[in-house]
Coordinates of all heavy atoms in Angstrom, one line a residue:
E219 N -65.7 99.1 -14.1 CA -65.1 99.6 -12.9 C -66.0 100.6 -12.3 O -66.6 101.5 -12.9 CB -63.7 100.2 -13.2 CG -62.8 99.2 -13.9 CD -61.3 99.7 -13.9 OE1 -61.1 100.7 -13.2 OE2 -60.5 99.1 -14.6
I220 N -66.3 100.4 -11.0 CA -67.3 101.1 -10.3 C -66.7 101.8 -9.0 O -66.0 101.2 -8.3 CB -68.5 100.3 -9.8 CG1 -68.9 99.3 -10.9 CG2 -69.6 101.1 -9.3 CD1 -69.6 99.9 -12.0
A221 N -66.9 103.1 -8.9 CA -66.4 103.9 -7.8 C -67.6 104.2 -6.8 O -68.7 104.5 -7.3 CB -65.7 105.1 -8.2
F222 N -67.3 104.2 -5.5 CA -68.3 104.5 -4.5 C -67.7 105.6 -3.6 O -66.7 105.4 -2.9 CB -68.6 103.3 -3.6 CG -69.1 102.1 -4.5 CD1 -68.2 101.1 -4.9 CD2 -70.4 102.0 -4.8 CE1 -68.6 100.1 -5.7 CE2 -70.8 100.9 -5.6 CZ -69.9 99.9 -6.0
D223 N -68.3 106.8 -3.7 CA -67.8 107.9 -3.0 C -68.8 108.4 -2.0 O -69.7 109.1 -2.3 CB -67.5 109.1 -4.0 CG -66.9 110.3 -3.4 OD1 -66.5 110.2 -2.2 OD2 -66.7 111.3 -4.1
S224 N -68.6 108.0 -0.7 CA -69.4 108.4 0.4 C -70.9 108.1 0.1 O -71.8 108.9 0.2 CB -69.2 109.9 0.7 OG -69.8 110.2 2.0
V225 N -71.2 106.9 -0.4 CA -72.5 106.5 -0.8 C -73.3 106.1 0.5 O -72.9 105.4 1.3 CB -72.5 105.2 -1.7 CG1 -73.9 104.8 -2.1 CG2 -71.7 105.6 -3.0
D226 N -74.5 106.7 0.6 CA -75.4 106.5 1.7 C -75.9 105.0 1.7 O -76.5 104.6 0.7 CB -76.6 107.5 1.7 CG -77.4 107.4 2.9 OD1 -76.9 107.1 4.0 OD2 -78.7 107.6 2.8
I227 N -75.7 104.3 2.8 CA -76.2 102.9 2.9 C -77.1 102.9 4.1 O -76.8 103.3 5.2 CB -75.0 101.9 3.1 CG1 -74.1 102.0 1.9 CG2 -75.5 100.5 3.3 CD1 -74.7 101.6 0.6
V228 N -78.3 102.3 3.9 CA -79.3 102.1 5.0 C -79.5 100.6 5.3 O -79.0 99.8 4.6 CB -80.6 102.8 4.7 CG1 -80.4 104.3 4.5 CG2 -81.2 102.2 3.5
E229 N -80.2 100.4 6.4 CA -80.5 99.0 6.8 C -81.0 98.1 5.7 O -80.7 97.0 5.6 CB -81.4 99.0 8.0 CG -80.8 99.5 9.3 CD -79.9 98.4 10.0 OE1 -79.8 97.3 9.4 OE2 -79.4 98.7 11.1
D230 N -82.0 98.7 4.9 CA -82.6 97.9 3.9 C -81.7 97.5 2.8 O -82.0 96.7 1.9 CB -83.8 98.7 3.3 CG -85.0 98.7 4.3 OD1 -85.0 97.9 5.2 OD2 -85.9 99.5 4.0
D231 N -80.5 98.2 2.7 CA -79.5 97.8 1.7 C -78.6 96.7 2.1 O -77.9 96.1 1.2 CB -78.6 99.0 1.3 CG -79.4 100.2 0.8 OD1 -80.4 100.0 0.1 OD2 -79.0 101.4 1.2
V232 N -78.7 96.3 3.3 CA -77.7 95.3 3.8 C -78.1 93.9 3.5 O -79.2 93.4 3.8 CB -77.6 95.4 5.4 CG1 -76.7 94.3 5.9 CG2 -77.0 96.8 5.8
L233 N -77.3 93.2 2.8 CA -77.5 91.8 2.4 C -77.0 90.9 3.6 O -77.8 90.1 4.1 CB -76.7 91.4 1.2 CG -76.9 89.9 0.8 CD1 -78.2 89.6 0.2 CD2 -75.8 89.5 -0.2
L234 N -75.8 91.1 4.0 CA -75.3 90.3 5.1 C -74.3 91.2 5.9 O -73.3 91.6 5.3 CB -74.5 89.1 4.6 CG -74.0 88.1 5.6 CD1 -75.2 87.5 6.5 CD2 -73.2 87.0 5.0
A235 N -74.6 91.5 7.1 CA -73.7 92.4 7.9 C -72.4 91.7 8.3 O -72.4 90.5 8.6 CB -74.5 92.9 9.2
G236 N -71.4 92.4 8.3 CA -70.1 91.9 8.7 C -69.9 92.1 10.2 O -70.1 93.2 10.7
D237 N -69.4 91.1 10.9 CA -69.1 91.1 12.3 C -67.6 91.3 12.5 O -66.9 90.5 12.1 CB -69.6 89.8 13.0 CG -69.3 89.9 14.5 OD1 -68.6 90.8 15.0 OD2 -69.8 88.9 15.2
P238 N -67.2 92.5 13.0 CA -65.8 92.8 13.1 C -65.0 91.8 14.0 O -63.8 91.8 13.9 CB -65.7 94.2 13.7 CG -67.0 94.4 14.3 CD -68.0 93.6 13.5
G239 N -65.7 91.0 14.7 CA -65.0 90.0 15.6 C -64.9 88.6 15.0 O -64.2 87.8 15.6
T240 N -65.6 88.4 13.9 CA -65.5 87.0 13.3 C -65.4 87.0 11.8 O -65.6 88.1 11.2 CB -66.8 86.2 13.7 OG1 -67.9 86.7 12.9 CG2 -67.1 86.3 15.2
T241 N -65.2 85.9 11.2 CA -65.1 85.7 9.8 C -66.4 85.0 9.2 O -66.4 84.6 8.1 CB -63.9 84.9 9.3 OG1 -63.9 83.6 9.9 CG2 -62.6 85.6 9.8
E242 N -67.4 84.9 10.0 CA -68.6 84.1 9.7 C -69.3 84.6 8.4 O -69.6 83.8 7.5 CB -69.5 83.9 10.8 CG -69.0 83.1 12.0 CD -68.5 81.7 11.5 OE1 -69.3 81.0 10.8 OE2 -67.4 81.4 11.8
S243 N -69.5 85.9 8.3 CA -70.2 86.4 7.2 C -69.4 86.2 5.9 O -69.9 85.9 4.8 CB -70.5 87.9 7.4 OG -71.4 88.1 8.4
F244 N -68.1 86.4 6.0 CA -67.2 86.2 4.9 C -67.2 84.7 4.4 O -67.3 84.5 3.2 CB -65.7 86.5 5.3 CG -64.7 86.5 4.2 CD1 -64.9 87.1 3.0 CD2 -63.6 85.7 4.4 CE1 -64.0 87.1 2.0 CE2 -62.6 85.6 3.4 CZ -62.8 86.3 2.2
K245 N -67.3 83.8 5.3 CA -67.4 82.4 4.9 C -68.7 82.1 4.2 O -68.7 81.3 3.3 CB -67.3 81.5 6.2 CG -65.9 81.5 6.8 CD -65.9 80.6 8.1 CE -64.5 80.6 8.7 NZ -64.5 79.9 10.0
V246 N -69.8 82.7 4.7 CA -71.1 82.5 4.0 C -71.0 83.0 2.6 O -71.5 82.4 1.7 CB -72.2 83.2 4.9 CG1 -73.5 83.1 4.1 CG2 -72.4 82.5 6.2
L247 N -70.5 84.2 2.4 CA -70.4 84.8 1.1 C -69.5 83.9 0.2 O -69.9 83.7 -1.0 CB -69.8 86.2 1.2 CG -70.7 87.3 1.8 CD1 -69.9 88.6 2.0 CD2 -72.0 87.5 1.0
L248 N -68.4 83.4 0.7 CA -67.6 82.6 -0.1 C -68.3 81.3 -0.5 O -68.1 80.8 -1.7 CB -66.3 82.2 0.7 CG -65.2 83.3 0.8 CD1 -64.1 82.9 1.7 CD2 -64.7 83.8 -0.6
S249 N -69.0 80.7 0.4 CA -69.7 79.4 0.1 C -70.7 79.7 -1.0 O -71.0 78.8 -1.8 CB -70.4 78.8 1.3 OG -71.5 79.6 1.7
H250 N -71.3 80.8 -1.1 CA -72.4 81.1 -2.1 C -71.8 81.2 -3.5 O -72.5 81.1 -4.5 CB -73.1 82.4 -1.7 CG -74.5 82.2 -1.3 ND1 -75.6 82.4 -2.1 CD2 -75.0 81.7 -0.1 CE1 -76.7 82.1 -1.4 NE2 -76.3 81.7 -0.2
L251 N -70.5 81.4 -3.6 CA -69.8 81.5 -4.9 C -69.8 80.1 -5.6 O -69.6 80.0 -6.8 CB -68.4 82.0 -4.7 CG -68.2 83.4 -4.3 CD1 -66.7 83.8 -4.3 CD2 -68.9 84.4 -5.3
N252 N -70.1 79.0 -4.8 CA -70.2 77.7 -5.4 C -71.3 77.6 -6.5 O -71.2 76.9 -7.5 CB -70.4 76.6 -4.4 CG -69.1 76.4 -3.6 OD1 -68.0 76.7 -4.1 ND2 -69.2 75.8 -2.4
H253 N -72.4 78.4 -6.3 CA -73.4 78.5 -7.3 C -72.8 79.0 -8.6 O -73.1 78.5 -9.7 CB -74.6 79.3 -6.8 CG -75.3 78.8 -5.6 ND1 -76.0 77.7 -5.6 CD2 -75.4 79.3 -4.4 CE1 -76.6 77.5 -4.4 NE2 -76.2 78.5 -3.6
E254 N -72.1 80.1 -8.5 CA -71.5 80.8 -9.6 C -70.5 79.9 -10.3 O -70.3 79.9 -11.5 CB -70.9 82.1 -9.2 CG -71.9 83.1 -8.8 CD -71.3 84.5 -8.8 OE1 -70.3 84.8 -9.5 OE2 -71.8 85.4 -8.0
R255 N -69.7 79.1 -9.5 CA -68.7 78.3 -10.1 C -69.3 77.2 -10.9 O -68.8 76.8 -12.0 CB -67.8 77.7 -8.9 CG -67.0 78.7 -8.2 CD -66.1 78.1 -7.2 NE -65.3 79.2 -6.5 CZ -65.4 79.6 -5.3 NH1 -66.3 79.0 -4.5 NH2 -64.6 80.5 -4.8
C256 N -70.4 76.6 -10.4 CA -71.1 75.6 -11.2 C -71.7 76.2 -12.5 O -71.7 75.6 -13.6 CB -72.2 75.0 -10.4 SG -71.6 73.8 -9.1
G257 N -72.2 77.5 -12.4 CA -72.7 78.2 -13.6 C -71.5 78.4 -14.6 O -71.7 78.3 -15.8
N258 N -70.4 78.7 -14.1 CA -69.2 78.9 -14.9 C -68.9 77.6 -15.7 O -68.7 77.6 -16.9 CB -68.0 79.3 -14.0 CG -66.7 79.2 -14.7 OD1 -66.2 78.1 -15.0 ND2 -66.1 80.4 -15.0
A259 N -69.0 76.5 -15.0 CA -68.7 75.2 -15.6 C -69.7 74.9 -16.7 O -69.4 74.4 -17.8 CB -68.7 74.1 -14.6

Side-chain angles (χ1 to χ4, degrees):
E219 301 194 11
I220 315 292
F222 305 93
D223 183 10
S224 194
V225 178
D226 185 34
I227 301 296
V228 300
E229 287 280 4
D230 284 347
D231 299 323
V232 176
L233 177 76
L234 185 64
D237 181 349
T240 73
T241 62
E242 290 307 309
S243 293
F244 184 53
K245 290 178 182 177
V246 171
L247 292 172
L248 286 176
S249 70
H250 251 259
L251 291 180
N252 286 336
H253 297 293
E254 293 194 25
R255 293 182 178 113
C256 285
N258 169 287

